[in-house]
Amino acid sequence: WFQNRRTRWKTKQLERDYNLLKDNYDVLKRNYHKLQQEKESITKEVTELLMLLSVNFRMRQNSRSIS
């Protein structure tokens, strides 16, 4: 009887630990995906800004060479 009781207690404790770990994992996974999306957005924005900067630089170079 005591062995069964101890086994049930251990099983319940394992279930609680598992649920806690699973919840933490799910939160981390959501945060990871959110960070990936933010990174993609920032990378895209930086690329666009670099292109604009390059175009602006070329225009200035062309205007100086004409003058």
Side-chain angles (χ1 to χ4, degrees):
W1 183 79
F2 283 106
Q3 285 182 337
N4 285 338
R5 186 175 181 186
R6 196 174 99 197
T7 302
R8 284 195 307 272
W9 181 85
K10 281 186 164 184
T11 301
K12 289 289 184 184
Q13 186 63 40
L14 280 172
E15 287 175 356
R16 284 190 292 271
D17 291 346
Y18 169 79
N19 287 329
L20 180 65
L21 286 170
K22 186 176 182 317
D23 290 343
N24 286 336
Y25 170 78
D26 291 339
V27 168
L28 283 171
K29 188 176 179 182
R30 280 193 302 270
N31 287 340
Y32 175 77
H33 287 296
K34 183 180 174 186
L35 285 171
Q36 274 187 320
Q37 290 174 343
E38 284 181 33
K39 179 187 173 227
E40 288 174 13
S41 174
I42 290 171
T43 301
K44 182 180 176 184
E45 185 178 353
V46 166
T47 302
E48 290 172 357
L49 289 171
L50 284 171
M51 288 177 62
L52 284 173
L53 185 63
S54 175
V55 167
N56 190 10
F57 181 75
R58 286 187 203 134
M59 288 176 63
R60 286 185 177 183
Q61 290 296 326
N62 286 339
S63 70
R64 286 183 184 163
S65 66
I66 294 174
S67 299

